[in-house]
Amino acid sequence: MAEEYVPNYQADDYQELKEGQATILFPKNNEVFYNPVQQFNRDMSIAAIKTWRDTVNEAKMERFNKSANPNKVAPSTKFTILEALAASGLRSVRYAKEIEEIDYILTNDLLADAVESIKRNAHFNGISQKLVRANQGDAVAVMYAHRDKSAFDVVDLDPYGTAAPFIDGAIQAVKKGGLICVTCTDLAVLASANHPEACFAKYGGNPLKAEFCHELALRLVINSLQQTANRHKRYIEPLLSCSIDFYVRIFVRVHDKPILVKNVASQTGIVYHCRYCGTFATQPFGTIEPGKGATPKYHVSAATAADRICEQCESKQELGGPCWLGPLHNKDFVQRMYKAVSSADSSMYGTQPRMKGMLKVILEELDDSPFHYSHSELCSAVRASCPPLTKVNSALLNAGYRVSGSHTHQGSIKTNAPPQVVWDVMRSLVKEMGRSPKIVEGSPADKLLAKAITTEISFDHHKDANPESRRIKLVRYQMNPEKNWGPKARHSEAPKAKNSDAKRKQQDQSHAPEDSLAADAPETTADSEDAAELDTVSNDVKKLRTE
C-alpha cells in the first residue's frame, strides 16, 4: 500500500487559527481575512448535516427492519461530501473532525496553492488523505464528472458572491435524497432594487426594495434551485433557509419524484408590493384541484385580483419574482436540529446561543404565509407612534388570525390576516391615539385612514402575542459584533497564480469570508427588540414615500 503524501512545511512559519475542533495554518506573511461572523455559517452547517444524516439513517433502518428478505444486509450509514470551493480547507477539516460517519470528503479548489493548503491543514489536524481528499479542479467540471454512480450525498457550495454558476452542477452531482448546502453573499443584488437586471440574469427573478427583501432573497435563490432541479425531473425540498448577516445560507434535500415536479407551478409565483404602505399580494402561476381517482388536475391560475394600484392607499405597486412561494423550512427538521443544538455541550458550537435563537424564531414563523409587514413601516404609513409590537400582535390574534415574527427582519409581522384586516388594526390604533396633524388631505396616509373599519378590533393582551423565543430571552437577532463586520473584499492577489486566467477564475470562486477564523462573534442575551417595542415615536424616522 502506497504511503501518504506528507506536505513539507514548518509549523513555526505559520500562524495558528482555531475554530471548533480545527486548527488552521496560514502563512505569517500572507494577508488573512478575519471575519468572526462566518463561524456561525460553519456551525449551522455542521448541525444541519448531522440532522440530515440522522434522518436519512433512521429511514434506512426503518426500511431494513420492515424487509422480509432473510439474507438482508444492514445498510451502510457512511456518506460522502463534496466541498466544491474549499480555499484553505477549513470547512472540510471541521467536517472531518466534528461529523461522524463520513466516508470521505472531496475538498476541491482551482489553485495548486489552495490544494497544498488543504493537504497541509488536513495533515496538521491529523486527518488522513483518505478522509479529506484534496483535489485541484474547476468546481463545475468536478461536479459534472461526478454525476450518476459517483455522485455525492452532500454537496456544499460556499462561493464568494453568487452560487448561480454552480447550481446546475450541484443538482446533478448529488444523490437521490442528498443534501445541497448553498451560500450566496451578493445581497446587494438579491435584496435591493439597485441591480434588478443582474438579479434577473443570475436568479431569474426581480428583487424588491421592501421590508421583506431578505425573505424575497431566500425565495429567489430557492426558485433558481427548484427550476434547475425540475429540468432534470428532480424536486428540491427546503429544509432550512436562513438570512444571516450579509448572506443567505440554504439547505435543501433533492428528491427524484416527478410527481412533485408537477406541483411546482402552484408553489411558484410573483408578488405585488405597494411602494408606499408596504401592502403585498402573491399570485401563484398554477392551481391544483382533485381529479378522478388519485390523479389531480393542474390549471393555469386565473387573472390576479391585485391591480397595479394598491387597494389600501391607491399608490403604485411594483412586481417581484418569480419566486418560491412554498415553505422555507421543514419544521420537523428544524425542531430536530434545534433540540440537538440545545442539548449539545457548549464547547461544540462556538456560536451556540445565536444558533438556538435563530432556530427557535424559525420554528415560530408561520410557514404558510409568504412575506411579512414591518411594525415601524405600518405605523409610519399612517403617521402614528409605534405602540409595543405585542399590542398589534394581540389585535390580529383577537381577530382570529395567526401571527409571528420572521428571522429575516427584526420587528416583523408575519400573518395570515388579509391586508384589509391588517390596516383595520392600524386604523383602530389611530382612532385610539388620535390622527396626526401632519397628514395631508388626499395623501396616501389620508386615503388609508379614510376607508371604513370592517373588522372588530380588540387590543386586549393575547397570551400568544409575545413569542416564547423572546420570553426566554434567546439571542433572536444578531448584534453588530465589531466595526466593519460585513463581507470582506476579495484578495487582490491570488498567491502564486500560474497565469492571469487562473487568477481571474480563482477570484470568481474564492472564499474570502471562508478563511475567517477569529474568535466567536460576541453574543448577547439582551434582545434589542425589547427597546424597539417600547412606546416610542418612529413616524418621523422614515421619510414619506412618494407614489
Side-chain angles (χ1 to χ4, degrees), residues 303-546:
T304 177
D307 199 353
R308 293 181 61 122
I309 301 299
C310 176
E311 293 182 353
Q312 302 301 320
C313 71
E314 301 180 16
S315 298
K316 291 182 180 179
Q317 290 186 320
E318 53 190 355
L319 193 64
C323 63
W324 174 253
L325 298 178
L328 290 175
H329 324 281
N330 179 313
K331 290 300 183 67
D332 291 337
F333 180 91
V334 180
Q335 177 63 52
R336 184 167 188 161
M337 184 171 165
Y338 172 75
K339 184 178 180 181
V341 170
S342 299
S343 61
D345 186 87
S346 60
S347 63
M348 182 174 294
Y349 301 113
T351 61
Q352 185 184 42
R354 189 183 178 195
M355 294 173 72
K356 290 169 58 180
M358 177 170 281
L359 291 170
K360 186 63 174 178
V361 174
I362 286 173
L363 282 172
E364 294 169 345
E365 283 183 20
L366 297 184
D367 57 2
D368 56 356
S369 299
F371 306 115
H372 60 78
Y373 298 93
S374 163
H375 182 212
S376 59
E377 183 181 42
L378 291 175
C379 294
S380 176
V382 294
R383 294 296 180 256
S385 300
C386 282
L389 181 57
T390 53
K391 184 171 183 175
V392 178
N393 287 349
S394 292
L396 292 169
L397 290 165
N398 291 332
Y401 298 96
R402 294 181 297 146
V403 67
S404 76
S406 168
H407 82 280
T408 65
H409 185 84
Q410 189 170 337
S412 52
I413 300 174
K414 186 181 276 281
T415 179
N416 64 337
Q420 176 66 30
V421 174
V422 174
W423 289 110
D424 279 350
V425 171
M426 302 312 298
R427 294 179 189 112
S428 299
L429 182 67
V430 170
K431 186 177 180 181
E432 178 185 279
M433 299 172 62
R435 175 176 168 136
S436 170
K438 296 181 179 180
I439 298 178
V440 178
E441 184 177 354
S443 66
D446 180 56
K447 292 175 181 178
L448 275 169
L449 295 175
K451 294 186 179 298
I453 299 174
T454 59
T455 310
E456 184 177 345
I457 301 298
S458 168
F459 290 108
D460 292 343
H461 180 74
H462 193 285
K463 62 181 181 63
D464 297 326
N466 195 24
E468 182 183 4
S469 60
R470 188 168 182 271
R471 293 198 305 269
I472 62 178
K473 298 187 181 300
L474 292 177
V475 182
R476 289 154 46 85
Y477 299 97
Q478 171 72 334
M479 307 296 290
N480 289 352
E482 60 181 15
K483 186 177 180 180
N484 301 323
W485 61 277
K488 308 299 183 184
R490 287 191 179 105
H491 279 289
S492 58
E493 297 182 2
K496 300 181 182 179
K498 301 303 180 184
N499 53 59
S500 59
D501 289 338
K503 180 185 293 186
R504 183 176 64 254
K505 207 163 190 179
Q506 169 64 11
Q507 288 173 342
D508 289 340
Q509 299 183 9
S510 65
H511 279 215
E514 175 67 16
D515 290 344
S516 311
L517 304 179
D520 303 342
E523 306 286 357
T524 174
T525 56
D527 191 338
S528 65
E529 193 174 25
D530 291 340
E533 293 174 5
L534 296 176
D535 290 304
T536 58
V537 179
S538 67
N539 56 304
D540 290 331
V541 174
K542 294 188 176 182
K543 294 181 179 179
L544 177 64
R545 285 150 291 183
T546 61

Side-chain angles (χ1 to χ4, degrees), residues 290-307:
K292 293 182 179 180
T295 304
K297 288 185 177 181
Y298 303 91
H299 302 282
V300 175
S301 291
T304 177
D307 199 353

Side-chain angles (χ1 to χ4, degrees), residues 155-173:
V155 174
D156 196 312
L157 298 177
D158 189 42
Y160 185 86
T162 180
F166 312 105
I167 287 177
D168 186 77
I171 291 291
Q172 296 194 60

Side-chain angles (χ1 to χ4, degrees), residues 178-200:
L179 180 71
I180 299 180
C181 317
V182 180
T183 299
C184 292
T185 66
D186 57 336
L187 286 189
V189 171
L190 276 166
S192 76
N194 295 333
H195 304 284
E197 75 290 348
C199 186
F200 195 90

Side-chain angles (χ1 to χ4, degrees), residues 227-257:
Q227 295 300 314
T228 302
N230 294 167
R231 296 186 189 101
H232 300 287
K233 298 182 180 181
R234 311 191 91 177
Y235 176 89
I236 65 153
E237 175 194 3
L239 299 179
L240 178 64
S241 308
C242 303
S243 174
I244 307 170
D245 304 325
F246 54 86
Y247 60 94
V248 296
R249 180 67 166 168
I250 299 171
F251 303 90
V252 301
R253 191 173 181 186
V254 180
H255 300 283
D256 289 348
K257 294 183 178 180

